[in-house]
Amino acid sequence: MTEPLLDIGAVVGTHGLRGDLKIRLNSGDPDLLMTLKQVYLRLPSDDIRRVTITRQSLHKGRVLLRLQGYESIHLAEQIVGSQVLLAENMLPDLSDDEYYWRQLDGLQVIDRQHGEIGTLQDLLSTAAHDTYVVRGHLGEILIPAVHQFVSSVDLQAGIMQVDLPDGLIPEQQ
């Protein structure tokens, strides 16, 4: 397989007796999985397998997938713990002010008042919005991924400009 594969989530459990799999997405938007016909799984054995989706649904905020060849609880239990991967060329196009995590990971973050505050190193998904985790000389800073705080992103320069309110950056001693 030559196409880059992106980690979009994990199989965290089963649901029901017909082999439905509970998926925890790395991003908060379940729409991506609701339209796909195929994904890849990185099995706990580290093998990568292309699988066909036969059913998608939402249940209590989680995506449930049923995969061809895994239509029973006993078969589905064998792939719990797998990573859900997607070929990069299957990702939908985004609007100008939207980004995939792989584009943002590692950006230098510069605050309007405090200057460089660190490197964007992680993304937390919450019910309200995603949160960027920045680590640097000021420690760990959590920044809500909303327009109110993120002024601009320059992927070419590798910089995210932010304008953070008092309280988000720890007081310097």
Side-chain angles (χ1 to χ4, degrees):
M1 172 179 350
T2 58
E3 57 200 317
L5 295 177
L6 303 173
D7 180 359
I8 62 167
V11 179
V12 295
T14 61
H15 179 80
L17 299 175
R18 296 186 179 174
D20 288 353
L21 298 165
K22 292 181 192 175
I23 309 299
R24 184 191 71 235
L25 295 173
N26 295 341
S27 167
D29 186 7
D31 291 342
L32 176 63
L33 276 178
M34 300 308 288
T35 58
L36 295 174
K37 300 296 178 212
Q38 292 187 328
V39 292
Y40 293 87
L41 294 179
R42 177 174 285 121
L43 303 172
S45 66
D46 219 28
D47 291 339
I48 293 179
R49 183 171 298 157
R50 186 177 185 162
V51 293
T52 300
I53 300 171
T54 59
R55 182 174 184 273
Q56 297 114 315
S57 61
L58 290 174
H59 178 72
K60 295 184 179 180
R62 292 231 186 219
V63 174
L64 299 180
L65 295 183
R66 188 174 301 160
L67 305 177
Q68 186 175 349
Y70 297 93
E71 290 99 348
S72 78
I73 183 85
H74 303 295
L75 293 170
E77 285 174 335
Q78 297 173 20
I79 56 176
V80 171
S82 298
Q83 290 175 285
V84 180
L85 308 172
L86 185 62
E88 192 169 316
N89 63 5
M90 295 180 71
L91 291 171
D93 292 333
L94 299 176
S95 65
D96 288 342
D97 64 344
E98 294 181 315
Y99 302 93
Y100 286 110
W101 169 245
R102 64 179 168 75
Q103 296 174 291
L104 300 175
D105 188 19
L107 291 182
Q108 289 304 113
V109 180
I110 299 174
D111 179 60
R112 185 177 60 81
Q113 292 179 20
H114 297 89
E116 185 177 329
I117 58 173
T119 304
L120 187 53
Q121 294 190 347
D122 205 354
L123 175 72
L124 304 174
S125 291
T126 66
H129 50 72
D130 289 340
T131 300
Y132 298 133
V133 179
V134 177
R135 292 185 182 97
H137 67 281
L138 299 174
E140 184 176 272
I141 300 169
L142 302 178
I143 302 173
V146 295
H147 293 290
Q148 178 182 351
F149 301 131
V150 180
S151 305
S152 67
V153 174
D154 185 339
L155 296 177
Q156 297 290 64
I159 294 173
M160 175 184 285
Q161 297 276 347
V162 296
D163 188 4
L164 302 180
D166 292 338
L168 277 186
I169 295 180
E171 293 297 321
Q172 295 181 343
Q173 303 298 334

